[in-house]
Amino acid sequence: MKKKTSFSTKGVRADIGDLTIYRILANRYADAVGPFVFLDHIAPKVHLSSLKSGTGAHPHRGIATLSYIIEGEDEHFDSAGNYAKVYSGGVQWMKAGNGIIHDETLNIDSQTDSNRTHAFQFWINLPSKNKAEKPEYLAIQSDEVPQKQLPNDSGWIKVIAGSYEDLKSIIPNYSKQFLYHIQVEAGKEFSISIDEKIEVAAFLTTKSTILNDSEFQAGDFVEFDRNAGEIVIENKWYEANDIILFGGEPYTEPIVAEGPFVMNSPAEIAGAYSDFYAGKYGKIKDRKGKA
């Protein structure tokens, strides 16, 4: 049985510097999909020259951030001393835990001739017991992201988080979660089964797509019902088409979000701000070790 659509919606513009950004989640219909409480789509863009676009140094607490760089180069600094660059196809994952300051900048990929950027940033809500843990960090390059071909030459699937069949991401799971990048070839289709009560949504990156017999447009965020069933992706285009599919088990604890913090109560939000202003999250050091 095919799953039914609960709703579809578009993102809201939230540009930063030279980057065109659409805030997809939270939206007017949903505050979360499984453990995912935030999604920004950094839309595909061609740049005439090198750029350095980012939010600047800022704190987080209570979540893990996940940046998936489809095209471009993402540079990461944080107050736990982590530094790395990932390139097109790579992933930056950071567990903020009990508090961290980080800075990410997106640029064109210095390893290729491409002058395009295209990326996603997710926030993954942590269970309350994990919000008090120390920060952690992973830089995952493109060739480290699990990937496999789909049956009948239908395309491929990348497992950014969670697992699919024999593929498993190295990103830790604090609850049942999955984040897939699926490419379906022209004239092909792909079907995936979703368990009962699992929350799941699709984001259509650049082209319209048929999901369970209904056509949705590029830039649409589509959420499905909680019943067990299939999601069938049909590509009627003359070239390959991409979608992002993500979700997981419902987050059952209270959610209180304010600014860069996602906690379980207003008191914990106040504590997150208090600790930040008291300097307990540390300072970012540059590549030369200077604060």
Side-chain angles (χ1 to χ4, degrees), residues 12 28 42 116 239 253 255:
V12 177
R28 58 180 174 167
I42 299 91
R116 291 169 55 87
E239 57 185 1
E253 298 176 288
I255 300 174

Side-chain angles (χ1 to χ4, degrees), residues 71-127:
E71 293 182 281
E73 175 181 299
D74 190 39
E75 186 173 23
H76 170 98
F77 299 86
D78 68 44
S79 58
N82 298 300
Y83 170 79
K85 285 184 180 181
V86 301
Y87 305 92
S88 298
V91 181
Q92 302 263 22
W93 176 87
M94 181 190 74
K95 184 177 80 173
N98 60 9
I100 197 169
I101 299 171
H102 80 144
D103 190 357
E104 278 188 86
T105 56
L106 185 62
N107 206 341
I108 58 177
D109 193 331
S110 63
Q111 295 190 335
T112 70
D113 295 328
S114 173
N115 59 349
R116 291 169 55 87
T117 55
H118 185 196
F120 292 87
Q121 184 173 77
F122 294 83
W123 291 4
I124 302 169
N125 199 5
L126 298 174

Side-chain angles (χ1 to χ4, degrees), residues 261-276:
F261 306 124
V262 182
M263 304 302 292
N264 300 114
S265 70
E268 290 176 344
I269 290 288
Y273 275 105
S274 177
D275 287 350
F276 168 62

Side-chain angles (χ1 to χ4, degrees), residues 16-245:
I16 296 175
D18 195 36
L19 300 177
T20 301
I21 298 175
Y22 292 91
R23 186 141 299 161
I24 307 301
L25 187 69
N27 56 57
R28 58 180 174 167
Y29 300 111
D31 293 326
V33 180
F36 297 91
V37 291
F38 178 92
L39 170 57
D40 268 0
H41 178 216
I42 299 91
K45 192 168 187 178
V46 175
H47 304 276
L48 298 178
S49 60
S50 181
L51 72 155
K52 285 280 188 179
S53 289
T55 56
H58 59 282
H60 285 297
R61 188 167 180 168
I63 58 170
T65 63
L66 187 158
S67 299
Y68 175 39
I69 313 304
I70 294 180
E71 293 182 281
E73 175 181 299
D74 190 39
E75 186 173 23
H76 170 98
F77 299 86
D78 68 44
S79 58
N82 298 300
Y83 170 79
K85 285 184 180 181
V86 301
Y87 305 92
S88 298
V91 181
Q92 302 263 22
W93 176 87
M94 181 190 74
K95 184 177 80 173
N98 60 9
I100 197 169
I101 299 171
H102 80 144
D103 190 357
E104 278 188 86
T105 56
L106 185 62
N107 206 341
I108 58 177
D109 193 331
S110 63
Q111 295 190 335
T112 70
D113 295 328
S114 173
N115 59 349
R116 291 169 55 87
T117 55
H118 185 196
F120 292 87
Q121 184 173 77
F122 294 83
W123 291 4
I124 302 169
N125 199 5
L126 298 174
S128 58
K129 64 182 181 180
N130 301 111
K131 291 180 184 291
E133 295 174 347
K134 292 181 179 180
E136 297 179 20
Y137 172 76
L138 290 170
I140 304 166
Q141 301 298 344
S142 177
D143 60 0
E144 300 172 304
V145 176
Q147 178 176 345
K148 71 186 303 181
Q149 296 299 307
L150 299 176
N152 304 316
D153 298 320
S154 297
W156 49 254
I157 183 170
K158 291 183 179 180
V159 178
I160 312 302
S163 61
Y164 175 78
E165 294 184 345
D166 59 329
L167 303 180
K168 185 177 180 180
S169 170
I170 65 171
I171 290 172
N173 296 316
Y174 298 98
S175 63
K176 186 171 184 179
Q177 63 176 11
F178 58 90
L179 170 54
Y180 307 142
H181 180 180
I182 302 168
Q183 184 174 98
V184 180
E185 293 291 343
K188 299 284 188 175
E189 66 177 50
F190 169 66
S191 175
I192 186 169
S193 295
I194 305 295
D195 292 339
E196 185 82 14
K197 297 182 180 179
I198 293 298
E199 300 178 351
V200 57
F203 180 75
L204 310 189
T205 61
T206 57
K207 297 183 182 72
S208 63
T209 303
I210 297 173
L211 301 174
N212 288 355
D213 305 317
S214 296
E215 184 172 354
F216 298 93
Q217 303 304 308
D220 279 353
F221 169 95
V222 184
E223 187 172 298
F224 297 87
D225 65 20
R226 306 293 188 268
N227 298 320
E230 290 187 324
I231 297 174
V232 181
I233 305 164
E234 297 179 70
N235 181 6
K236 301 296 187 182
W237 289 84
Y238 295 102
E239 57 185 1
N241 198 357
D242 295 69
I243 77 163
I244 300 294
L245 191 72

